[in-house]
Amino acid sequence: MAKDGPNWEGLLKWSLAHSDGTGSTRNLSEDDRRWFMEAMQSQSVDVIKRMKEITLVMQAPEQVLEAQGVTPADIEDMLDELQEHVESIDMANDLHSIGGLVPLLGYLKNSHANIRAKAAEVVTTIVQNNPRSQQLVMEANGFEPLLSNFTSDPDMAVRTKALGAISSLIRHNKPGIAAFRLANGYAGLRDALGSENVRFQRKALNLIHYLLHENSSDCSIVNELGFPRMMLHLASSEDAEVREAALRGLLEIARDEAGGNGGRFGEEDEKLKQLLEERIKGISLMSAEDLGAAREERHLVDSLWNACYNEPSSLREKGLLVLPGEDSLPPDVASKHFEPPLRAWAANPDSNKNSSSAEKKQTPLLLGLGPPPEAANAQGTSNAKVNIDEQNTTSG
């Protein structure tokens, strides 16, 4: 459904006509400058114009679109195009001003699951690292349909996309986090941990870790809801990312307990120790290649053991916490080709001694202030006297 793009060929021809690539850039005439600015501005206007056209389609009732032959697949393609446009923060913020944000949020309730999922993806792009758009979505009541889709949509893809959008919406957004707590969002996260969908689990675990890291007092909530038991189970998952995310969450709870803020594993303490011992055993049996890939997991297991038992794990004793080369700096390749002479001389002060015994030592370059003027004059006078005496001796 997208229209033809900018006339890049025309711009290229114009650029080539005004530069041969050899001389200095010439000053543009007022006509050329005006033409170029209008050409560039027209491209920006085209994007806004296209977003307005997409907005009109989103505002049209579903039955009207069907009567015009617009299919759900066409709507998905249109949302794909919109997502590309709003990757720019400016365009993302402009979507509300042109009236496109509210109908986009309306698509979160569309009867087609693929459209609901795609709409959540576009919302994710709009609010990611964008405080202004986060505020606009919250003010437009966009949080409610996202939460509803996350917790109760029959389609797992829709639930996963909605969770991703919520995670981006409330990140570094205190009103969003408060709304998530008030809406019992943690109960939805608990259900996500109990699902069989690995991607859903990952997103839930990552959001839990973020929330606990931002506010350790939430550890009491996750303990009451039984999160530690579920995380212990997921820390043995076959998926490495799920294992690591579960260990990160357990580490936040353990640190809260160590800080005396009320976090407790309770009856899960013994299971936690057993889990860590099993993970240490599993890591010990890994190949060198797998050990390298499990670097974060190794450090998480050790940190969790240390937080719970106030001592390093046996990974340290076995030399499996930091593998050879992991703690070293990357090789300095460029310095051998671009080593400054002074640094080379300082690094190898005796390198020239064996080159030739007949060569005199070169006086190193001193980086500092010279002698005072009086001393310099005295030294010059003394040197001149010595030279005169030598000349007299020779002539005599």
Side-chain angles (χ1 to χ4, degrees), residues 48-66:
I48 295 294
K49 180 182 177 182
R50 183 58 185 154
M51 288 173 60
K52 288 181 177 179
E53 292 172 350
I54 292 174
T55 295
L56 290 175
V57 176
M58 291 192 296
Q59 291 172 336
E62 193 170 343
Q63 58 270 24
V64 173
L65 295 177
E66 290 178 357

Side-chain angles (χ1 to χ4, degrees), residues 182-336:
L182 289 173
N184 202 17
Y186 274 109
L189 291 174
R190 180 188 57 192
D191 294 341
L193 295 185
S195 75
E196 298 297 325
N197 187 287
V198 172
R199 190 176 180 191
F200 200 36
Q201 291 172 348
R202 283 187 211 142
K203 287 184 178 293
L205 286 166
N206 288 332
L207 181 54
I208 292 168
H209 172 257
Y210 170 76
L211 291 171
L212 296 182
H213 186 74
E214 288 295 302
N215 192 347
S216 60
S217 64
D218 284 4
C219 287
S220 59
I221 300 176
V222 301
N223 276 283
E224 291 173 5
L225 292 175
F227 279 45
R229 177 181 55 81
M230 305 180 81
M231 290 180 179
L232 285 170
H233 173 70
L234 294 175
S236 299
S237 170
E238 294 182 0
D239 185 87
E241 292 184 32
V242 169
R243 285 200 310 270
E244 292 172 3
L247 289 170
R248 279 194 293 269
L250 290 169
L251 182 57
E252 289 296 334
I253 298 173
R255 284 173 173 168
D256 179 67
E257 179 180 2
N261 293 325
R264 290 182 180 85
F265 287 107
E267 60 184 17
E268 308 297 336
D269 282 341
E270 189 59 35
K271 293 180 180 179
L272 173 63
K273 189 170 186 179
Q274 182 181 353
L275 164 74
L276 293 176
E277 289 173 344
E278 290 176 354
R279 292 314 308 147
I280 290 172
K281 182 179 178 181
I283 290 171
S284 303
L285 298 175
M286 285 183 177
S287 65
E289 182 178 357
D290 290 339
L291 280 171
R295 180 175 183 176
E296 184 174 359
E297 183 179 357
R298 288 185 277 121
H299 284 270
L300 285 168
V301 168
D302 181 73
S303 297
L304 189 51
W305 184 282
N306 195 27
C308 293
Y309 310 113
N310 296 317
E311 63 179 13
S313 72
S314 59
L315 289 174
R316 291 178 182 267
E317 299 174 5
K318 297 178 180 181
L320 296 175
L321 183 60
V322 180
L323 302 181
E326 283 187 344
D327 58 345
S328 61
L329 295 174
D332 188 2
V333 178
S335 65
K336 345 177 159 174

Side-chain angles (χ1 to χ4, degrees), residues 329-370:
L329 295 174
D332 188 2
V333 178
S335 65
K336 345 177 159 174
H337 305 288
F338 304 101
E339 192 170 40
L342 277 178
R343 190 171 73 177
W345 179 86
N348 302 290
D350 299 328
S351 59
N352 294 328
K353 286 185 178 179
N354 299 328
S355 60
S356 174
S357 58
E359 293 182 0
K360 294 183 179 180
K361 290 185 178 179
Q362 295 184 354
T363 304
L365 177 63
L366 299 179
L367 300 179
L369 296 175

Side-chain angles (χ1 to χ4, degrees), residues 62-102:
E62 193 170 343
Q63 58 270 24
V64 173
L65 295 177
E66 290 178 357
Q68 296 296 323
V70 178
T71 67
D74 292 330
I75 299 296
E76 289 182 60
D77 290 343
M78 181 189 70
L79 292 175
D80 273 328
E81 181 188 345
L82 180 62
Q83 186 173 10
E84 292 180 7
H85 295 321
V86 297
E87 284 177 356
S88 162
I89 288 182
D90 291 336
M91 294 299 174
N93 294 337
D94 284 343
L95 183 64
H96 176 70
S97 63
I98 64 175
L101 181 59
V102 172

